[in-house]
Amino acid sequence: MTAAAFHLDDNDPRHSIPADLAPCRDCLRELFDPADRRHRYPFISCADCGPRAAIAEQVPGDRAHATTARFLMCPACAGEYTDPDSRRHRCASLACPDCGPRLSWYGTETGDPLDTAVRALRRGGIVAVKGVAGYQLLCVADREEPVRALRVAKGRPAKPFAVLVADLAAARRSAVVPPEAALLLYSPRRPTVLLRRGAEDGFAMAVAPDLPEIGLALPQSPLQHLLLAELGRPLVLTAGRREGQGAITEEEVAVRELGPRCAGVLSHDLPIALGQDDSVARLVRRRPMLLRRGRGHTPEPLPLPYLAPEPVLALGSRSDHTVCLALGESAVLGPHHGALEAMPPFTALHRSAELLCHQFGVAPKVFAHDLHPRHPSTLHALRRPSARRIAVQHHHAHLAATAAEHRVRAPFLGLAYDEIALGDDGTLWGGELLLCDYTGYRRLGRFGHAPLPGGPSAVRHPAQMALGYLAGSEMLGSARPTLPLTKAFLSRFPPGRLAAVRRMVRERPGPVTSSVARLFDAVASLLGIRDENGYPGEALLHLEHAAARYGRAPALPWRLVRRDDLHVVDPVPTLRAVLAQAQHRPVGEVAARFHSTVAEVSAAMLAKAARRTGVWRICLGGSVFQNRLLTETLLDLLAEGGYQACVGSLAPVNDGGLSYGQAVVASARLAAE
Ligand SMILES: [Zn+2]
Ligand SMILES: [Zn+2]
């Protein structure tokens, strides 16, 4: 699929609500035309553009079922609405300054809401703005203090921010924008696109510290166009919501929670029915890959390989949580809201499920959830004793999501490289080769086990993982690296910590993991790139960026063995080579060679499985495949080998797409009964 193929589907209107689209060219011309009756009106739209999902209270999201219904149309608007020749014929979001929604401002300063907000931004203030699908926090992107203040206000010390720029020309001044990326940036779905930073992008350092990549977005609403036109400079843009909670859609909540952290709140009186974040995309092999599916995509349907005999609600994962509704021939993936809270009542999960079911007018009696008995999705499903529960293994769900999105015929081979999640043998999976169909799987291969020193919290501490591999990686026939190879690495830690990790591995081994995300973490720490994950995936991201400059480098030694009828990747020879190379070669070069090694050993493992099973269709899933260098290298190798391979594109490969996979598997099982 090419960037252009992010097309607007023509779906069964009974089951679908269109996505929110950025203002079209005609509406923009009117917005800036002093003679037009909608000149500078922030709610201008037409039948081809404007909010849809955000205002749809129920399917099919026409005006009668939209939050705009509470605005009585003036005679001029009513004329356009009923005129079949008008651009605004039957437009759900139709409005004008006489009859439609209006801006308001909450802050110490008074005056015209838009002008006051612009003045506050220009002075370096943070302003909360009611966006298409939720309140967002904005500040100017070209000064350090406002961006640092935004980091404090948002409680986000390091994770990169996205930047809103006026047009493609401005994007090209700040980043390298290949043609496919330009198409994606400019598409009416308006995702934030991750791009290589230009030499002098003019943004504050605090926007994306230490990263060669920047997320850029073009204006997604008339209001953003007006703000940028007035300011004439780029803006940092981030969701106002807290981690693990849904988008803020209520004015009262925004004023209460965001108001005290801002110069003011720029609000309006058009209610938001479906709150969500902006979509985030990256180009992989010049094709778009959604890292977060949000505004512009949600709640448009995704394909199901089997008709769901009855509605199924899939309850998703713990991190990057979403829910998904399987309805007839398609599935609706709901809004993303980050990691769930650690303990019940899982309010965000509950609300998000209620909202989606309400919007689509269904009350499902079948729930798909994780294999783990204490997983939030399982606990939530258990709250409805009369309901039917279908448990789906995490990595099978990832692979089913990729396969269903690309309409892959079963059986297929799946490579799930991911964070840790419970497997069917009691260990924590995350580096698996599975022979799949849509109802089940057989495990054919895995990565060698490593201990998680201190338990699952080790995912936050790459150094802990590295020490774990050195002290207790699975014995598969190669000797673990020892002194003097490990000297430089170990000397970075106090002796007490080393002894503590060795003791943990020896005395409280706990469940072991085959997770590739943990192996990448360990290598990031061995190379001195990151010892801690300040946010999920931080070490992995920085390892990839260190490697990116070197591209597809020669692989390091690797080893593939057979254990209990499984192909097992023994990571130890590779770790030994990483340590040896790091003594005299640049860190980035070793990181690049490590990426090539994982791609090469994966292709070798797949080749063995393909010969054994006669299956040549391959699906990649799991958060590790957000890594462009690894994914591109592996897809290149597989293409050279004659395989048909695909990776998640419209359904995120990370846990944001997991509920879709759960819905796919559950409906396939129902259909098979
Ligand atoms: Zn329009
Ligand atoms: Zn009107």
Side-chain angles (χ1 to χ4, degrees), residues 112-134:
D112 172 75
L114 184 64
D115 294 344
T116 316
V118 167
R119 278 200 303 276
L121 286 167
R122 200 174 276 141
R123 277 199 307 270
I126 300 168
V127 174
V129 178
K130 187 174 185 180
V132 172

Side-chain angles (χ1 to χ4, degrees), residues 552-571:
R552 196 171 156 180
L556 299 166
W558 50 264
R559 188 160 171 266
L560 197 54
V561 298
R562 277 297 272 271
R563 278 292 179 286
D564 307 324
D565 210 30
L566 293 179
H567 302 289
V568 180
V569 177
D570 178 3

Side-chain angles (χ1 to χ4, degrees), residues 250-534:
E250 302 291 329
E251 186 171 88
E252 181 212 329
V253 179
V255 171
R256 191 182 62 229
E257 290 194 4
L258 303 177
R261 294 184 266 157
C262 293
V265 180
L266 181 60
S267 190
H268 58 72
D269 54 355
L270 175 62
I272 296 172
L274 181 70
Q276 53 179 327
D277 291 351
D278 291 345
S279 295
V280 179
R282 191 176 207 193
L283 286 167
V284 172
R285 282 182 119 213
R286 301 163 69 189
R287 292 171 185 179
M289 172 190 265
L290 281 181
L291 305 184
R292 191 201 294 141
R293 185 179 164 91
R295 180 200 41 77
H297 291 279
T298 301
E300 283 193 343
L302 289 162
L304 279 180
Y306 297 93
L307 215 67
E310 60 175 303
V312 176
L313 183 67
L315 298 164
S317 162
R318 190 192 298 270
S319 60
D320 288 329
H321 180 262
T322 58
V323 295
C324 182
L325 199 54
L327 283 175
E329 61 199 12
S330 57
V332 180
L333 190 53
H336 163 282
H337 42 249
L340 288 181
E341 61 217 296
M343 302 289 283
F346 310 123
T347 318
L349 188 165
H350 189 72
R351 269 212 208 111
S352 152
E354 293 273 291
L355 187 71
L356 201 63
C357 293
H358 172 76
Q359 229 184 0
F360 285 84
V362 290
K365 294 187 183 62
V366 183
F367 294 88
H369 61 92
D370 193 76
L371 216 53
H372 198 294
R374 304 289 305 159
H375 193 275
S377 62
T378 313
L379 296 177
H380 185 84
L382 284 168
R383 281 162 59 163
R384 286 180 179 72
S386 64
R388 165 106 186 254
R389 293 185 299 276
I390 299 180
V392 182
Q393 200 278 326
H394 186 99
H395 302 104
H396 182 223
H398 271 309
L399 298 171
T402 299
E405 182 202 331
H406 294 283
R407 301 170 199 269
V408 172
R409 206 154 37 83
F412 53 90
L413 292 173
L415 215 48
Y417 288 179
D418 198 25
E419 297 289 323
I420 55 174
L422 184 64
D424 60 26
D425 62 351
T427 67
L428 297 169
W429 290 10
E432 315 306 313
L433 167 57
L434 307 179
L435 172 65
C436 304
D437 64 20
Y438 286 106
T439 60
Y441 61 87
R442 186 156 65 88
R443 195 187 196 194
L444 299 182
R446 64 171 173 87
F447 268 65
H449 289 143
L452 284 168
S457 67
V459 303
R460 292 198 295 272
H461 311 296
Q464 195 91 336
M465 278 314 300
L467 293 168
Y469 271 98
L470 295 182
S473 61
E474 184 178 4
M475 296 305 277
L476 292 163
S478 24
R480 293 182 196 131
T482 49
L483 292 168
L485 214 48
T486 53
K487 185 160 183 270
F489 171 70
L490 295 178
S491 66
R492 300 212 316 261
F493 305 98
R497 178 158 183 200
L498 302 180
V501 169
R502 286 193 196 107
R503 210 165 41 240
M504 275 188 245
V505 170
R506 203 172 49 238
E507 291 165 15
R508 284 180 287 131
V512 291
T513 185
S514 46
S515 162
V516 174
R518 298 288 73 79
L519 179 62
F520 270 75
D521 270 3
V523 170
S525 176
L526 289 178
L527 290 176
I529 289 171
R530 277 292 183 283
D531 283 338
E532 303 294 325
N533 275 326

Side-chain angles (χ1 to χ4, degrees), residues 22-28 45-50 87-88:
C24 69
R25 219 179 299 197
D26 289 333
C27 285
L28 274 187
S45 70
C46 72
D48 289 338
C49 74
R87 266 174 53 230
R88 299 196 161 89

Side-chain angles (χ1 to χ4, degrees), residues 135-265:
Y135 284 84
Q136 297 175 310
L137 296 172
L138 278 75
C139 73
V140 291
D142 51 3
R143 283 171 50 194
E144 292 294 340
E145 315 86 77
V147 183
R148 285 210 202 98
L150 181 60
R151 290 209 169 276
V152 174
K154 171 103 179 163
R156 182 159 152 175
K159 200 174 169 188
F161 283 132
V163 178
L164 183 64
V165 292
D167 48 31
L168 277 178
R172 290 199 176 98
R173 281 197 296 275
S174 321
V176 181
V177 186
E180 299 82 6
L183 262 176
L184 200 54
L185 274 170
Y186 195 70
S187 93
R189 299 179 185 280
R190 293 293 151 97
T192 296
V193 183
L194 300 184
L195 298 163
R196 191 146 57 81
R197 289 175 94 146
E200 280 174 32
D201 57 23
F203 301 148
M205 283 301 296
V207 170
D210 306 332
L211 281 173
E213 209 175 42
I214 184 93
L216 294 186
L218 299 188
Q220 55 191 249
S221 65
L223 182 56
Q224 288 189 352
H225 275 286
L226 291 170
L227 283 170
L228 286 169
E230 290 294 320
L231 275 162
R233 55 214 276 201
L235 288 165
V236 168
L237 176 69
T238 185
R241 68 175 178 85
R242 283 174 201 273
E243 181 66 16
Q245 295 179 3
I248 299 179
T249 55
E250 302 291 329
E251 186 171 88
E252 181 212 329
V253 179
V255 171
R256 191 182 62 229
E257 290 194 4
L258 303 177
R261 294 184 266 157
C262 293
V265 180

